[in-house]
Amino acid sequence: MTGAAGAVGGYAVQPAKAAGLTVIADAADKDRDLVTGLGPDHVLPRGDQFAERVRELRSAGAGGIIGAGLMNAAVAAGVRDGGTIVTLQGL
C-alpha cells in the first residue's frame, strides 16, 4: 500500500486487515504515527525503494499493491508474478 497516509490509502488499510491480509504500507517520516495507527503489519519508509523493501519482507513479492501514492512503476517490482496492481494513475 503506497500513500497510506492519504484518503484512499488510509481507507484501504483497515478493510485489508479485516479481510485477514498482511498489509505492508509506506509512510513519510511525518506520517509514520498516523499510518501505524491504521494497523498495517509493516510500515516502510516512503520512497523509490518501496519495491525492494517489500521483497525483503516477501521474497516472492506481494500478492497485490494498491498504489495510492502515485509511485506507479516504482512499486511494480514489489508484486509477485501473477499479482495485481491497482493505481490511481496508469503505469
Side-chain angles (χ1 to χ4, degrees):
M1 171 81 51
T2 65
V8 173
Y11 172 77
V13 169
Q14 294 173 342
K17 282 298 298 173
L21 300 174
T22 298
V23 177
I24 303 169
D26 77 339
D29 288 340
K30 66 183 178 83
D31 296 323
R32 188 169 185 81
D33 290 342
L34 169 70
V35 172
T36 299
L38 296 172
D41 297 282
H42 305 279
V43 179
L44 304 177
R46 182 163 171 78
D48 292 338
Q49 295 179 335
F50 181 78
E52 291 84 4
R53 291 181 175 128
V54 168
R55 292 281 180 158
E56 289 172 4
L57 295 169
R58 299 275 189 259
S59 61
I65 290 181
I66 297 175
L70 304 179
M71 295 172 64
N72 299 331
V75 303
V79 178
R80 67 173 165 77
D81 290 346
T84 302
I85 300 174
V86 176
T87 66
L88 297 177
Q89 293 181 339
L91 296 175

